[in-house]
Amino acid sequence: MRIPAESNVPIRFQLFLLENGEKKVAETADTRIPSSSLFTFNKEDHTLGNLLRSRLLQSPHVTFSGYRVPHPLFSKFELRVQTDGEITPRAALVQACRDLVNDLGTLSREFTKEWELRKMAGEGTNGVESEV
């Protein structure tokens, strides 16, 4: 499928490659609300935004976490984090990232283990279970 040159759809590689000098994450402290920051993630979308938001809300120190995508054609989202003051929003975000990496590692190990067990057991053919 060829996209006309005058189309407003960005070129695919521009959706995930950072430009020279462009940062992945920028933090802006919110001066109106105590212990609150706005993090802007470049070259990311709803997938990471929703993962971080939901993980942050599991922390007892986070009182608010929400994200928004300013425009659907640009791969960028803004994540607002407010804490109870015992930890900074940045520390809460870093801990949420660490927790997510650990969770995804566990998921990968468990999936691989189950996949290998299924292959050894010889269930079904081509991934389809045989009916008894």
Side-chain angles (χ1 to χ4, degrees):
M1 178 173 133
R2 186 161 169 81
I3 299 172
E6 64 274 355
S7 173
N8 60 357
V9 177
I11 301 169
R12 286 194 188 267
F13 74 86
Q14 290 177 341
L15 295 175
F16 58 88
L17 290 179
L18 291 172
E19 311 245 343
N20 287 338
E22 187 177 24
K23 292 183 178 182
K24 188 66 160 180
V25 182
E27 179 183 13
T28 307
D30 190 345
T31 57
R32 299 171 295 159
I33 302 170
S35 300
S36 179
S37 288
L38 180 71
F39 298 92
T40 303
F41 287 77
N42 290 312
K43 310 299 184 188
E44 294 294 345
D45 61 5
H46 287 285
T47 306
L48 184 62
N50 196 34
L51 272 171
L52 288 172
R53 178 198 61 81
S54 62
R55 190 58 187 202
L56 280 163
L57 289 174
Q58 292 176 3
S59 170
H61 299 293
V62 175
T63 56
F64 176 81
S65 176
Y67 79 97
R68 75 181 190 102
V69 176
H71 195 281
L73 289 180
F74 302 114
S75 54
K76 173 168 87 169
F77 72 88
E78 297 170 348
L79 177 71
R80 183 174 303 277
V81 180
Q82 182 181 1
T83 63
D84 59 5
E86 288 188 37
I87 62 171
T88 65
R90 176 182 278 187
L93 180 60
V94 168
Q95 186 58 49
C97 289
R98 286 187 180 130
D99 293 344
L100 280 172
V101 168
N102 288 336
D103 290 350
L104 292 172
T106 302
L107 176 66
S108 176
R109 282 189 304 279
E110 290 297 317
F111 179 83
T112 303
K113 182 174 76 174
E114 290 297 323
W115 179 259
E116 293 299 323
L117 286 173
R118 188 171 287 248
K119 280 187 351 187
M120 285 191 301
E123 287 184 9
T125 340
N126 297 331
V128 179
E129 291 184 24
S130 58
E131 295 190 24
V132 179

